[in-house]
Amino acid sequence: MQTQRLAVDVGDLEEKGSRAAIARAAEILRGGGTVAFPTETVYGLGANALVADAVKKIFAAKERPSWDPLIVHVGDREMLEMVAAEVNQDAYRLMEAFWPGPLTLLLPRSAKVPELVTAGLEKVGVRMPAHPVAQALLRVAGVPVAAPSANRFGRISPTNAFHVAEDLEGRIDAILDGGETTHGVESTIVDVREGECVIYRSGMITLEQLRSVCRGEVVYRTEVEEGESRKAAPAPGMGVRHYAPRARLVLVEGLSPGLDVALIDEVNRLEEAGEVVGVMAPEGFMAALSLMRKKPFDLRGFTMGYDTVHVYHWGPWEKPEGLAQKLYAGLRWLDAAGVTVIVCPLPAPLGIGVAVRDRLMRAGSL
Ligand code: TXA
Ligand code: MG
């Protein structure tokens, strides 16, 4: 299958080329095909959520197991009513506060939604994306769009069209290229039950933000509990090794001060063991590394990419939004550089740092 590249200018969706790209992508979706498109979190791989044969193509392209349900994207209230059988008061409050935006709500599934979408579960995950390209696509297509992240199952989520092509070129009908995504980490998944708001996956909407709106308690429930099958897990796709680079991931508790020293100790140890080391480096790390690295820098090799340490400039450590935005691009970049191991500090579990930590822990687990 030939994958079409459709480019949009996010700054000017009314421009002729942008309109044509969105119209073509919408036509493919209406015709039962698959289109990768940008959202404010990561790129999604979309298909018409109401047509089982279209949804099947998503599972095939990603090699995603059928027990892992999909999130349905809606553009307006009418589409919401097509996919959710009912919406309670508490869910409405959250929609009013955070939609359009990176919040997925679990709602009773309407009979119009094929069982394949929810993997047989009673509730369907629904979100209204804030990205202008995603919104335009939904509006023109006129159908709700089921879309998991546009990567091969278990791999790192894509934050630009190039990442999507790396994983899915030749396996999907089109990629709608709208540049880099805004946030870089996936939506928060929430189940609003009577008097309680349960977080199934941490994400861009933080615990603190949910607490400011939910009337009841807000709690995390992200792990599989003992004796529970994976299928019965809160978010079935979260129970396995996920968001993973090819290289082995070595996580370092990121409590600064002393963070650079802890990271460089790992670099020295791993280089001595003969590994090609990648580092997700906070700002200022290079200066420390040049002082404390045991192995001398091969400066020519460093710029030409054959020195054995590869450093990704992740950004200021005290700005978790920036770390979230560049997390997946950094892991993919280090993988492409051919490192055998990636040393990565864990941000503090505060605000959006919770989601970044969560993804790293899952990527690191075997
Ligand atoms: O930001 C996002 O949410 C992105 C963009 C494309 O919207 N989508 C995304 O989809 O991350 P995906 O499929 O990669 O991750 C969705 C997670 C999976 O772990 C899945 O198990 C869980 O959501 N999920 C989906 N529907 C569910 C449901 N009905 N009940 C429980 N968990 C569900
Ligand atoms: Mg995913």
Side-chain angles (χ1 to χ4, degrees), residues 334-358:
L334 290 170
D335 253 352
V339 304
T340 56
V341 62
I342 296 173
V343 179
C344 183
L346 284 167
L350 290 171
I352 187 56
V354 175
V356 176
R357 249 183 113 84
D358 167 79

mmCIF file of all heavy atoms in Angstrom, residues 334-358:
data_model
loop_
_atom_site.group_PDB
_atom_site.id
_atom_site.type_symbol
_atom_site.label_atom_id
_atom_site.label_comp_id
_atom_site.label_asym_id
_atom_site.label_seq_id
_atom_site.Cartn_x
_atom_site.Cartn_y
_atom_site.Cartn_z
ATOM 1 N N LEU A 334 17.788 9.134 19.925
ATOM 2 C CA LEU A 334 18.888 8.324 20.462
ATOM 3 C C LEU A 334 18.859 6.914 19.859
ATOM 4 O O LEU A 334 19.904 6.354 19.532
ATOM 5 C CB LEU A 334 18.820 8.272 21.993
ATOM 6 C CG LEU A 334 19.151 9.606 22.686
ATOM 7 C CD1 LEU A 334 18.831 9.544 24.172
ATOM 8 C CD2 LEU A 334 20.623 9.989 22.483
ATOM 9 N N ASP A 335 17.663 6.361 19.689
ATOM 10 C CA ASP A 335 17.544 5.064 19.022
ATOM 11 C C ASP A 335 18.163 5.127 17.633
ATOM 12 O O ASP A 335 18.935 4.248 17.243
ATOM 13 C CB ASP A 335 16.056 4.699 18.864
ATOM 14 C CG ASP A 335 15.637 3.579 19.817
ATOM 15 O OD1 ASP A 335 16.514 2.987 20.481
ATOM 16 O OD2 ASP A 335 14.426 3.307 19.891
ATOM 17 N N ALA A 336 17.828 6.188 16.891
ATOM 18 C CA ALA A 336 18.317 6.321 15.512
ATOM 19 C C ALA A 336 19.834 6.485 15.475
ATOM 20 O O ALA A 336 20.490 6.086 14.512
ATOM 21 C CB ALA A 336 17.641 7.501 14.824
ATOM 22 N N ALA A 337 20.399 7.056 16.566
ATOM 23 C CA ALA A 337 21.860 7.224 16.622
ATOM 24 C C ALA A 337 22.558 5.886 16.873
ATOM 25 O O ALA A 337 23.778 5.795 16.805
ATOM 26 C CB ALA A 337 22.219 8.224 17.718
ATOM 27 N N GLY A 338 21.780 4.847 17.192
ATOM 28 C CA GLY A 338 22.351 3.511 17.349
ATOM 29 C C GLY A 338 22.884 3.205 18.742
ATOM 30 O O GLY A 338 23.735 2.328 18.896
ATOM 31 N N VAL A 339 22.411 3.912 19.763
ATOM 32 C CA VAL A 339 22.899 3.626 21.117
ATOM 33 C C VAL A 339 22.371 2.271 21.595
ATOM 34 O O VAL A 339 21.322 1.807 21.142
ATOM 35 C CB VAL A 339 22.499 4.741 22.126
ATOM 36 C CG1 VAL A 339 22.991 6.098 21.652
ATOM 37 C CG2 VAL A 339 20.991 4.768 22.364
ATOM 38 N N THR A 340 23.095 1.639 22.501
ATOM 39 C CA THR A 340 22.625 0.352 23.034
ATOM 40 C C THR A 340 21.902 0.552 24.362
ATOM 41 O O THR A 340 21.155 -0.305 24.801
ATOM 42 C CB THR A 340 23.805 -0.621 23.256
ATOM 43 O OG1 THR A 340 24.768 0.019 24.127
ATOM 44 C CG2 THR A 340 24.476 -0.974 21.939
ATOM 45 N N VAL A 341 22.147 1.696 24.989
ATOM 46 C CA VAL A 341 21.511 1.966 26.273
ATOM 47 C C VAL A 341 21.261 3.469 26.400
ATOM 48 O O VAL A 341 22.032 4.288 25.892
ATOM 49 C CB VAL A 341 22.387 1.411 27.434
ATOM 50 C CG1 VAL A 341 23.737 2.080 27.488
ATOM 51 C CG2 VAL A 341 21.706 1.559 28.781
ATOM 52 N N ILE A 342 20.119 3.826 27.033
ATOM 53 C CA ILE A 342 19.798 5.241 27.234
ATOM 54 C C ILE A 342 19.721 5.523 28.734
ATOM 55 O O ILE A 342 18.975 4.850 29.456
ATOM 56 C CB ILE A 342 18.445 5.610 26.579
ATOM 57 C CG1 ILE A 342 18.522 5.442 25.054
ATOM 58 C CG2 ILE A 342 18.029 7.043 26.944
ATOM 59 C CD1 ILE A 342 17.205 5.621 24.315
ATOM 60 N N VAL A 343 20.518 6.491 29.195
ATOM 61 C CA VAL A 343 20.463 6.916 30.590
ATOM 62 C C VAL A 343 19.514 8.108 30.668
ATOM 63 O O VAL A 343 19.670 9.077 29.917
ATOM 64 C CB VAL A 343 21.858 7.331 31.106
ATOM 65 C CG1 VAL A 343 21.784 7.786 32.558
ATOM 66 C CG2 VAL A 343 22.846 6.173 30.952
ATOM 67 N N CYS A 344 18.516 8.014 31.550
ATOM 68 C CA CYS A 344 17.508 9.069 31.581
ATOM 69 C C CYS A 344 17.086 9.387 33.013
ATOM 70 O O CYS A 344 16.746 8.488 33.775
ATOM 71 C CB CYS A 344 16.296 8.598 30.777
ATOM 72 S SG CYS A 344 15.003 9.826 30.659
ATOM 73 N N PRO A 345 17.126 10.663 33.396
ATOM 74 C CA PRO A 345 16.668 11.039 34.733
ATOM 75 C C PRO A 345 15.143 11.070 34.807
ATOM 76 O O PRO A 345 14.480 11.336 33.808
ATOM 77 C CB PRO A 345 17.243 12.447 34.919
ATOM 78 C CG PRO A 345 17.420 12.987 33.544
ATOM 79 C CD PRO A 345 17.629 11.819 32.623
ATOM 80 N N LEU A 346 14.603 10.776 35.990
ATOM 81 C CA LEU A 346 13.150 10.802 36.199
ATOM 82 C C LEU A 346 12.732 12.130 36.816
ATOM 83 O O LEU A 346 13.178 12.473 37.909
ATOM 84 C CB LEU A 346 12.758 9.677 37.169
ATOM 85 C CG LEU A 346 12.740 8.254 36.630
ATOM 86 C CD1 LEU A 346 12.657 7.262 37.789
ATOM 87 C CD2 LEU A 346 11.580 8.055 35.673
ATOM 88 N N PRO A 347 11.838 12.880 36.157
ATOM 89 C CA PRO A 347 11.375 14.150 36.730
ATOM 90 C C PRO A 347 10.588 13.923 38.023
ATOM 91 O O PRO A 347 10.065 12.830 38.251
ATOM 92 C CB PRO A 347 10.446 14.719 35.658
ATOM 93 C CG PRO A 347 10.747 13.957 34.419
ATOM 94 C CD PRO A 347 11.259 12.623 34.840
ATOM 95 N N ALA A 348 10.496 14.956 38.832
ATOM 96 C CA ALA A 348 9.735 14.863 40.086
ATOM 97 C C ALA A 348 8.259 14.602 39.769
ATOM 98 O O ALA A 348 7.745 15.098 38.765
ATOM 99 C CB ALA A 348 9.875 16.167 40.859
ATOM 100 N N PRO A 349 7.580 13.796 40.620
ATOM 101 C CA PRO A 349 6.173 13.453 40.343
ATOM 102 C C PRO A 349 5.206 14.574 40.702
ATOM 103 O O PRO A 349 4.334 14.412 41.562
ATOM 104 C CB PRO A 349 5.947 12.208 41.205
ATOM 105 C CG PRO A 349 6.911 12.337 42.318
ATOM 106 C CD PRO A 349 8.085 13.104 41.794
ATOM 107 N N LEU A 350 5.348 15.703 40.054
ATOM 108 C CA LEU A 350 4.489 16.856 40.314
ATOM 109 C C LEU A 350 3.942 17.369 38.997
ATOM 110 O O LEU A 350 4.691 17.442 38.020
ATOM 111 C CB LEU A 350 5.298 17.996 40.943
ATOM 112 C CG LEU A 350 5.777 17.796 42.371
ATOM 113 C CD1 LEU A 350 6.731 18.900 42.776
ATOM 114 C CD2 LEU A 350 4.564 17.749 43.309
ATOM 115 N N GLY A 351 2.670 17.725 38.966
ATOM 116 C CA GLY A 351 2.073 18.273 37.748
ATOM 117 C C GLY A 351 2.260 17.325 36.580
ATOM 118 O O GLY A 351 2.039 16.117 36.699
ATOM 119 N N ILE A 352 2.707 17.840 35.446
ATOM 120 C CA ILE A 352 2.880 17.031 34.247
ATOM 121 C C ILE A 352 4.069 16.071 34.376
ATOM 122 O O ILE A 352 4.186 15.087 33.632
ATOM 123 C CB ILE A 352 2.980 17.953 33.002
ATOM 124 C CG1 ILE A 352 2.991 17.147 31.714
ATOM 125 C CG2 ILE A 352 4.155 18.886 33.055
ATOM 126 C CD1 ILE A 352 1.802 16.251 31.586
ATOM 127 N N GLY A 353 4.932 16.324 35.384
ATOM 128 C CA GLY A 353 6.040 15.404 35.671
ATOM 129 C C GLY A 353 5.540 13.992 35.983
ATOM 130 O O GLY A 353 6.225 13.009 35.713
ATOM 131 N N VAL A 354 4.329 13.868 36.519
ATOM 132 C CA VAL A 354 3.742 12.549 36.839
ATOM 133 C C VAL A 354 3.632 11.715 35.564
ATOM 134 O O VAL A 354 3.987 10.537 35.535
ATOM 135 C CB VAL A 354 2.343 12.703 37.484
ATOM 136 C CG1 VAL A 354 1.692 11.345 37.700
ATOM 137 C CG2 VAL A 354 2.449 13.459 38.797
ATOM 138 N N ALA A 355 3.137 12.342 34.486
ATOM 139 C CA ALA A 355 2.930 11.608 33.227
ATOM 140 C C ALA A 355 4.269 11.241 32.588
ATOM 141 O O ALA A 355 4.441 10.140 32.069
ATOM 142 C CB ALA A 355 2.090 12.439 32.266
ATOM 143 N N VAL A 356 5.241 12.148 32.628
ATOM 144 C CA VAL A 356 6.550 11.869 32.031
ATOM 145 C C VAL A 356 7.202 10.686 32.759
ATOM 146 O O VAL A 356 7.721 9.750 32.149
ATOM 147 C CB VAL A 356 7.467 13.114 32.085
ATOM 148 C CG1 VAL A 356 8.854 12.797 31.547
ATOM 149 C CG2 VAL A 356 6.849 14.265 31.289
ATOM 150 N N ARG A 357 7.142 10.716 34.076
ATOM 151 C CA ARG A 357 7.665 9.620 34.907
ATOM 152 C C ARG A 357 7.002 8.297 34.585
ATOM 153 O O ARG A 357 7.646 7.272 34.412
ATOM 154 C CB ARG A 357 7.338 9.939 36.370
ATOM 155 C CG ARG A 357 8.475 10.261 37.227
ATOM 156 C CD ARG A 357 7.947 10.470 38.632
ATOM 157 N NE ARG A 357 8.448 9.417 39.499
ATOM 158 C CZ ARG A 357 9.628 9.459 40.083
ATOM 159 N NH1 ARG A 357 10.420 10.484 39.924
ATOM 160 N NH2 ARG A 357 10.022 8.471 40.854
ATOM 161 N N ASP A 358 5.667 8.357 34.507
ATOM 162 C CA ASP A 358 4.878 7.155 34.219
ATOM 163 C C ASP A 358 5.306 6.524 32.893
ATOM 164 O O ASP A 358 5.535 5.318 32.816
ATOM 165 C CB ASP A 358 3.390 7.547 34.168
ATOM 166 C CG ASP A 358 2.526 6.459 33.571
ATOM 167 O OD1 ASP A 358 2.226 5.501 34.297
ATOM 168 O OD2 ASP A 358 2.168 6.551 32.372
#
